[in-house]
Amino acid sequence: MQPTYGSRIPGSVACHHLHKGGGQAEEYEDAYAVHPRVSAVEEIDVASLRVALSDGASESVLAGLWARSLVDHFVSVPHEALASADSFGREAVMVTASWEATLGDYIARREADGRPIQWYEQPKLDRGAYATLLAISFCAPQEGDLADLRGEGRWAAAVIGDCCLFQVRDGALITAYPLAGSEDFGTSPNLLNSRNQDSLLISERVAMNSGSLRQQDDIYLCTDAVAAWFLREVEHGGRPWETLRDLGTSDGPNFADFIGEERASGHMRNDDATLIHVAVW
Amino acid sequence: MPYTAEISRSNPTCFVFLVDQSASMSDPIGGEVPTSKASVVSDAINRLLTELSVKCAKEEGVRDYFHVAVVGYGHNNVGSAFGGALAGRDLVPLSQIADNPARVEERTKKIPDGAGGLVESTVRFPIWMDPVCNGGTPMRQALEYAHRLVDRWLGEHPACFPPIVLNLTDGEANDGDPTVPAAGICSLTSADGAVLLFNLHVSDAGGSPVTFPDTEAGLPDNYARTLFGMSSLLPSHMRSYTAQEGFTVSDSTRGFVYNADITSVVQFLDIGTRATDLR
């Protein structure tokens, strides 16, 4: 049996990101948000942590802005919003409510800058922006919860698309979600559209999951290029979490160097790359 | 695995469109409102360039994932068919194509009104080339011209996604057997695979429209069968996309279309995550 925590779960969170090779830093179209805001070195209470991660679809315009809107909203929702597909669907539609204003501001800014919307942009603006989303919420043991009897915390997550969550416990991968194989990734993942008001459809397509949280657990949240690399390493008998765990520390390379090497060797697709590591102490 | 190279600004690929502008292209096809074959192909080119530009549009402009040539053949010569500021140019970066149509027309189209009905909406329709039809059909020369363009491109971009040559014609070549230079184009390769040659056959021979067939059975005449035989087999990911669109495919499916829309070839190309609605 693992030690009990009480209501606080000490741990840390580290965030890494890098834009697509050959592009500019400002063209990065993933987005992530962590609540409350923390630095990589400080101790946090994982029981109060919310994380959201999104990957803007490169074929749409304003994808990065839409991804940012999604993660900013989903780090502020209550834990219960990620407990059912219906509530997730309602929250996703709520984000679209502010999109028309965001779009109006953007068009006005372009006019003011002397760069009005061109004929080739209009069809894409009409269709709206597209992005994947992974949102996760952690909580302390709840009274009456079976996990509470074992002194375990909980996590609840919702995913549209191919952002992935990997949970490692006692040196083994115990959760790979929502995709479990490196061949499962393609160019047409499920996406949230900035004009999609159909909460029922979203609730039918969202992948919900939950799990327990123990001391020394590690959770890795990543966008598709890193996730596909991770699963391919596992399929070849590797322990990719050992590499990710040490990124940016004195024991490992920095994220940009690591991604650059994996891209150059052909082991990782050249795409925006984002990784968030939640460690329970 | 072939046909998996990244298409990006640092590793772009090219499209060469060959447009039949011979006298026979003035013949009308179609039903209640006959249209000349030349109008059908110029419309197809303008739509293809529009689709490519929109596909590659981002906030800062159109990204140069592709360089594109539009080559006309007819009136006994072969050369650039661009109008306006691009006149006379061969391979042009896509951003320059998007920013330099010869003109932009406004056309009306009916779109869903959200309440089960239709409303008229005005859309901007850029024009890079107008219908032209006179003289002979030097298709063989046109294919040789495309061969030179693609060969030069491959010398400068040896690791690119294989270029695509798309020939739009009524098939009535009169400068010799086009299958020989067609095979020559398909023998060119990048490190990612062989160059692809597709054909759009615009014909008044009748019969049903055909999209990406896997057999010549059912094609109406020898012109169609010749163009089918000249066309490349679709790579597997293009077959998958065609199947998703509801067409029957097999390992023998070729990049050939008879009297039907060819614009879907633009969707064969992966430049990143596709913007598709939840289904």
Side-chain angles (χ1 to χ4, degrees), chain A residues 17-276:
Chain A
H17 75 278
L18 184 68
H19 61 280
K20 185 174 180 173
Q24 305 295 317
E26 59 270 24
E27 293 172 359
Y28 171 76
E29 292 186 310
D30 288 353
Y32 60 89
V34 175
H35 180 82
R37 284 170 175 265
V38 288
S39 73
V41 292
E42 68 185 281
E43 178 184 322
I44 62 162
D45 176 15
V46 177
S48 65
L49 189 65
R50 306 276 183 278
V51 181
L53 175 61
S54 177
D55 178 356
S58 44
E59 266 200 24
S60 64
V61 293
L62 303 180
L65 196 58
W66 172 234
R68 169 56 51 197
S69 298
L70 286 167
V71 298
D72 285 347
H73 180 84
F74 273 92
V75 287
S76 65
V77 299
H79 183 74
E80 296 70 34
L82 300 180
S84 84
D86 288 345
S87 55
F88 175 85
R90 285 192 295 274
E91 293 290 342
V93 167
M94 284 171 65
V95 194
T96 67
S98 57
W99 184 249
E100 286 304 320
T102 304
L103 188 58
D105 290 345
Y106 174 75
I107 293 170
R109 199 163 57 247
R110 287 281 302 267
E111 292 277 355
D113 292 345
R115 293 179 57 239
I117 302 298
Q118 299 298 304
W119 66 265
Y120 44 76
E121 297 172 273
Q122 195 62 54
K124 284 185 164 175
L125 290 175
D126 293 344
R127 279 177 227 151
Y130 293 79
T132 64
L133 177 69
L134 185 160
I136 185 168
S137 170
F138 298 86
C139 70
Q142 303 294 305
E143 199 172 337
D145 189 332
L146 271 181
D148 181 37
L149 300 176
R150 298 191 294 270
E152 297 174 347
R154 303 288 302 169
W155 59 264
V159 178
I160 289 278
D162 56 9
C163 289
C164 285
L165 177 157
F166 303 116
Q167 183 173 16
V168 177
R169 176 177 293 167
D170 299 331
L173 179 66
I174 63 167
T175 306
Y177 144 82
L179 303 182
S182 64
E183 297 300 316
D184 296 341
F185 294 83
T187 56
S188 297
N190 281 339
L191 298 163
L192 287 170
N193 174 253
S194 60
R195 297 205 154 146
N196 185 358
Q197 306 282 322
D198 189 344
S199 64
L200 183 62
L201 178 64
I202 295 170
S203 66
E204 287 172 355
R205 294 292 175 267
V206 66
M208 310 294 295
N209 204 346
S210 61
S212 64
L213 201 61
R214 295 183 189 169
Q215 276 187 320
Q216 305 301 316
D217 277 3
D218 289 291
I219 287 188
Y220 300 94
L221 311 168
C222 35
T223 47
D224 57 330
V226 179
W229 167 88
F230 185 103
L231 287 169
R232 197 171 300 111
E233 291 290 308
V234 170
E235 289 158 6
H236 287 97
R239 298 162 66 87
W241 52 87
E242 293 180 353
T243 303
L244 300 186
R245 181 190 60 207
D246 295 335
L247 286 172
T249 71
S250 56
D251 295 326
N254 72 46
F255 188 69
D257 290 345
F258 158 69
I259 296 290
E261 284 175 16
E262 295 301 320
R263 286 175 181 165
S265 65
H267 294 141
M268 187 182 295
R269 198 161 42 79
N270 183 23
D271 195 0
D272 289 339
T274 306
L275 168 71
I276 298 168

Side-chain angles (χ1 to χ4, degrees), chain B residues 1-25:
Chain B
M1 201 162 67
Y3 303 106
T4 53
E6 175 190 62
I7 301 173
S8 64
R9 286 165 289 181
S10 54
N11 192 32
T13 189
C14 76
F15 257 112
V16 177
F17 298 119
L18 299 177
V19 187
D20 186 343
Q21 297 180 317
S22 64
S24 61
M25 296 297 285

Side-chain angles (χ1 to χ4, degrees), chain B residues 4-257:
Chain B
T4 53
E6 175 190 62
I7 301 173
S8 64
R9 286 165 289 181
S10 54
N11 192 32
T13 189
C14 76
F15 257 112
V16 177
F17 298 119
L18 299 177
V19 187
D20 186 343
Q21 297 180 317
S22 64
S24 61
M25 296 297 285
S26 63
D27 296 342
I29 59 170
E32 291 177 7
V33 185
T35 312
S36 73
K37 289 185 279 189
S39 293
V40 172
V41 285
S42 63
D43 238 33
I45 287 291
N46 290 322
R47 286 183 197 284
L48 283 160
L49 295 177
T50 297
E51 288 288 322
L52 268 179
S53 301
V54 171
K55 183 181 181 79
C56 301
K58 295 294 281 184
E59 291 86 330
E60 77 281 6
V62 170
R63 292 184 177 173
D64 289 327
Y65 298 130
F66 303 98
H67 292 224
V68 182
V70 180
V71 176
Y73 59 100
H75 41 86
N76 301 316
N77 64 34
V78 177
S80 171
F82 283 122
L86 302 176
R89 294 183 60 183
D90 285 328
L91 283 169
V92 179
L94 186 61
S95 61
Q96 294 181 30
I97 289 174
D99 286 332
N100 292 285
R103 63 184 185 279
V104 179
E105 294 182 351
E106 294 207 334
R107 297 189 178 184
T108 55
K109 72 172 189 178
K110 291 185 174 167
I111 60 170
D113 64 1
L118 295 171
V119 291
E120 278 203 345
S121 173
T122 302
V123 294
R124 288 181 277 179
F125 190 83
I127 306 286
W128 288 269
M129 66 166 288
D130 287 305
V132 175
C133 37
N134 63 59
T137 311
M139 191 191 302
R140 188 185 169 100
Q141 287 180 60
L143 291 163
E144 289 166 352
Y145 192 100
H147 188 291
R148 289 192 294 276
L149 286 181
V150 171
D151 195 29
R152 193 185 323 141
W153 173 269
L154 289 169
E156 295 162 358
H157 303 85
C160 71
F161 185 92
I164 295 176
V165 177
L166 174 55
N167 181 32
L168 301 90
T169 177
D170 66 3
E172 301 172 20
N174 61 6
D175 66 341
D177 180 4
T179 63
V180 176
I185 287 174
C186 297
S187 70
L188 297 171
T189 60
S190 78
D192 192 45
V195 172
L196 297 165
L197 173 62
F198 298 159
N199 285 281
L200 168 64
H201 187 193
V202 180
S203 173
D204 54 9
S208 303
V210 179
T211 302
F212 304 126
D214 61 358
T215 172
E216 64 177 33
L219 296 179
D221 59 19
N222 280 336
Y223 294 126
R225 285 186 282 275
T226 298
L227 290 169
F228 171 81
M230 283 164 49
S231 302
S232 300
L233 294 170
L234 288 188
S236 64
H237 79 279
M238 296 185 183
R239 286 202 304 273
S240 300
Y241 182 80
T242 305
Q244 284 171 27
E245 294 299 295
F247 297 103
T248 303
V249 295
S250 73
D251 290 351
S252 305
T253 297
R254 290 181 185 267
F256 172 78
V257 168

